[in-house]
Amino acid sequence: MTIIDKTFMIASAALKHSPITQSKLKLIPNFISQKEEEQILNESEKKLKRLKYQRDHWDDAIVGYREFESANWSEQTLAVIERVKREAHFSNSPRQLVHVLDIDAAGFIKPHIDSNRYCGDKVAGVSLLSDSVMRLVNQSDSSKYITLLLPRLSLYVLAHEFRYDYTHEILSDEMSFFGDEYVKRDRRVSMVCRSEPSPLSK
Ligand code: OGA
Ligand code: MN
């Protein structure tokens, strides 16, 4: 079931006349089961536990994070990755490497657009351990923005203008509001699949 409605998305008034279709922005609650979440976390923990949370680099797009990329996953996790790729309709071949990003309870992701050097026309992310709030803001007109509620276990897909013209960010705990509703931000792990960058961007 795909839901893009007021339960999960609030669009600013400036977007009233812009249709937001599923091919541009998708959110699927309960995309994975708790068992699949546990499997992905167990596998990731082996790599994550050797890494320290980074928060000293003032110019980083992310605060309070650790991360790794891997193409080696268990059969069960590969099955989830395959489902993500199918749901996201990656047109060109998807990137082999899947990115796992772990932000601690005080961590957050500042507004940014993924570089064309390592990301093609789509970004798809599964949220583990914590609900969070993602904000998308049009780069050239900040009155155009969307607030998304990303529940734990959900999948989101950014494409078209939401991939290229809108920055995306994950709000810090103190900013973590979906409308009037406070969404507690705990430690959050995401599994992010990106489509292959165009050869011209490399
Ligand atoms: C990123 C990013 C979003 C997420 O790593 O570039 O925006 O859901 N991640 O973790
Ligand atoms: Mn990003």
Side-chain angles (χ1 to χ4, degrees):
M1 182 174 49
T2 303
I3 306 177
I4 275 291
D5 66 12
K6 287 206 183 95
T7 322
F8 297 99
M9 179 176 89
I10 303 168
S12 66
L15 282 169
K16 211 163 46 188
H17 301 295
S18 317
I20 297 159
T21 61
Q22 280 186 32
S23 58
K24 298 178 177 182
L25 180 61
K26 203 183 251 199
L27 179 82
I28 305 181
N30 292 310
F31 182 75
I32 61 167
S33 66
Q34 284 189 31
K35 206 167 147 227
E36 287 168 327
E37 177 192 50
E38 205 178 298
Q39 165 78 26
I40 297 166
L41 286 170
N42 282 342
E43 260 175 274
S44 300
E45 207 62 58
K46 292 182 194 123
K47 298 200 163 130
L48 289 172
K49 71 175 183 215
R50 290 181 234 135
L51 308 168
K52 276 206 185 113
Y53 286 102
Q54 306 288 312
R55 52 178 73 257
D56 339 320
H57 309 293
W58 63 271
D59 59 340
D60 272 2
I62 316 177
V63 175
Y65 74 102
R66 45 191 193 168
E67 65 183 345
F68 69 88
E69 282 192 306
S70 177
N72 295 319
W73 298 97
S74 69
E75 225 170 276
Q76 295 95 311
T77 299
L78 280 176
V80 172
I81 294 166
E82 280 312 309
R83 261 165 46 215
V84 170
K85 289 170 177 173
R86 225 180 308 138
E87 201 58 63
H89 298 294
F90 285 144
S91 50
N92 43 6
S93 61
R95 241 173 146 237
Q96 283 295 357
L97 290 174
V98 169
H99 178 201
V100 171
L101 176 65
D102 173 358
I103 52 177
D104 62 19
F108 59 98
I109 305 177
K110 297 179 197 171
H112 69 280
I113 294 175
D114 287 20
S115 161
N116 291 336
R117 256 179 301 152
Y118 64 88
C119 184
D121 61 354
K122 278 169 189 154
V123 185
V126 179
S127 299
L128 315 178
L129 286 180
S130 176
D131 298 341
S132 63
V133 178
M134 177 179 269
R135 179 152 301 137
L136 306 167
V137 182
N138 188 295
Q139 257 203 126
S140 48
D141 179 358
S142 63
S143 72
K144 294 182 174 170
Y145 61 90
I146 291 176
T147 309
L148 281 177
L149 174 62
L150 302 182
R152 173 182 181 185
L153 309 178
S154 68
L155 169 75
Y156 68 83
V157 183
L158 309 179
H160 297 273
E161 63 259 43
F162 299 113
R163 155 73 180 98
Y164 291 111
D165 305 333
Y166 283 66
T167 58
H168 55 275
E169 62 194 291
I170 297 283
L171 305 182
S172 65
D173 183 55
E174 68 253 37
M175 306 296 281
S176 192
F177 284 85
F178 180 70
D180 296 334
E181 182 195 343
Y182 166 63
V183 178
K184 183 168 171 45
R185 246 297 317 292
D186 234 315
R187 177 187 171 206
R188 171 182 185 269
V189 175
S190 55
M191 191 173 75
V192 183
C193 301
R194 297 179 170 87
S195 51
E196 190 68 34
S198 134
L200 297 173
S201 310
K202 283 188 180 168

